[in-house]
Amino acid sequence: MGQIANTYRQVNGLQLVDQFQEYFHRPTGSALGLLTSAQNIGSLIALPIAPYITDGLGRRASIFLGGLIMLGGVAWQGMAPDLMHFTLARGVIGFGMSFSVNAAPLLVTELAYPTQRASLTAIYNTMWYAGTIVAAWVTFGTFRVPGSVWSWRIPSILQGLPSLIQCLLIWFCPESPRWLLSKGRDQQAIDILSKYHGSGDMYHPLVEYEYDEIRAAIVVERSVGNVSYWSLFSSPGNRRRMRIIIALGLFSQWSGNGLISSYTNLILEGVGITSASKKTLINGVLQLMNLGMAALSALYVERAGRRKLFLTSNVGMLLTFSIWTATMVVFQQNGSYAAAMVAVVFIFIYYIFYDIAYTPILVTYVVEILPFRIRAKGFAVLTAVLFDGSQPNLDPLFIAEAEAARASGKYDAAVKDSKDLRRNSEAKSPTSPKDFGRSFDTKSPTSSKGCVGSFDTKTPTTPQRASGSTGAIDTRYYEMKPTATGWAPVYKN
């Protein structure tokens, strides 16, 4: 539920809703970048505090506190009158999220049955996509509410549901036996271990083994004195752990996944998909596939091994991201429908490779290599790297360039919505060649198949070559139709 609460609050899906864009005056550039990263900024502010709450008050208390703060942020966001309030509310949500995200994976790991620990921790992180699925399909439904602010307010308010469930049910969940033993509450720890690991038998060999192991580890760890953030780098072993943790955090965010997780709207428009129904549908299907692949990998993590999955994921992402990028360039240069469809396909393939390692086993691997005494603080470092490392994916220059390209009309020939253009042509269709007042440099729809000549709208039936041609439109997928400003290529249904 913690991961569902985390990802449901991503603003990516809301950007696909036209009413959201209109209400907030289509944020662009730095305003869009701040809107998207406000949650991460709030999380970074809380991260230095979160481990002390997790270790001091317990895993459950930290999750409960985070849930309360997030509920307040959701209420503010859902009723936000303008973009500034909406952005600030997302910062509050991120602040509360740090407490829940810091404590929840530790609680899962420390409660899990030993032979199931890796798979359960991997499945915990896989629930990231359960939140994105809910968010994607809620927006897929609510974008159809025409001319109403509730098309984006409903998804915003529903973001509070996971936190509400957390706050109501967390106290029915047992506390971490490791945390209880660290606070001298041995009997409570034994009761929990015997109930969940020993079938109620406090003298079960596994219960006795786990109790002795935890006690011995705590004694050794306490012998080094108080634990601060400096302890993470105070010994060769801890420094090596931090190198691995920081590297994994950076790899997971600098792989390019943030382009889709934060800017689906711009990426899909960049390959000619402008319809809100198509964009929300693609987003919803992508999240379903992500959950399935990540869950499948989580179940096989013990058989496949950590390093093999990481290496396979890295190589696969490198190859697929390269092809994805190349096909987007081809589309932007000549409007090729085939290149656009290949780009969409490789977005899905890219995420298959991302999902087999970084989604399920990132948290699992980090928690496994951290000793109990520095586990909360070490995990906070990973979270900080994840949030901070995602900022290159939210580069304001990328936003500005994408918005400028969209505003300039550079891709209009390929991304015009066919239905809108046809309605326009029916209302304002010119009746004779003299009405065609503008020339359009592209293929002639009346020429023979494969013609690459340009089209002069003053003489719409005659293909001709023209200097300064910007490229050909593929007549297999586009045809020329009259519009208010002259002739334009329209995608064939």
Side-chain angles (χ1 to χ4, degrees), residues 394-474:
L394 315 179
D395 187 352
L397 292 177
F398 162 76
I399 303 168
E401 290 172 1
E403 291 291 344
R406 183 171 61 177
S408 69
K410 180 179 179 182
Y411 312 132
D412 285 353
V415 301
K416 288 287 189 181
D417 185 271
S418 60
K419 292 184 180 179
D420 290 343
L421 283 175
R422 286 175 178 172
R423 284 196 295 268
N424 191 30
S425 67
E426 290 172 1
K428 300 183 179 181
S429 176
T431 57
S432 66
K434 67 180 180 180
D435 293 322
F436 303 141
R438 296 175 182 262
S439 63
F440 193 90
D441 182 20
T442 184
K443 277 188 181 179
S444 168
T446 59
S447 62
S448 61
K449 183 177 180 181
C451 175
V452 294
S454 64
F455 191 83
D456 185 348
T457 56
K458 293 181 180 179
T459 56
T461 60
T462 305
Q464 54 182 272
R465 289 280 183 181
S467 61
S469 175
T470 57
I473 297 298
D474 194 333

Side-chain angles (χ1 to χ4, degrees), residues 197-269:
H197 295 183
S199 301
D201 181 7
M202 64 186 303
Y203 299 107
H204 190 283
L206 178 59
V207 174
E208 293 182 341
Y209 173 79
E210 286 188 285
Y211 174 77
D212 292 338
E213 180 189 44
I214 296 170
R215 288 292 301 168
I218 291 174
V219 169
V220 171
E221 290 164 359
R222 280 180 176 170
S223 65
V224 301
N226 293 329
V227 176
S228 64
Y229 279 100
W230 175 247
S231 302
L232 300 176
F233 304 92
S234 61
S235 68
N238 285 350
R239 286 194 291 273
R240 184 178 182 186
R241 291 184 179 98
M242 288 302 105
R243 287 199 301 270
I244 294 172
I245 290 170
I246 292 171
L248 286 176
L250 291 176
F251 294 163
S252 71
Q253 292 302 314
W254 285 10
S255 60
N257 64 304
L259 294 176
I260 285 295
S261 63
S262 298
Y263 294 110
T264 303
N265 186 46
L266 294 180
I267 293 296
L268 293 180
E269 287 191 354

Side-chain angles (χ1 to χ4, degrees), residues 26-40:
R26 300 190 178 277
T28 60
S30 59
L32 179 58
L34 183 59
L35 171 67
T36 306
S37 59
Q39 183 171 302
N40 289 352

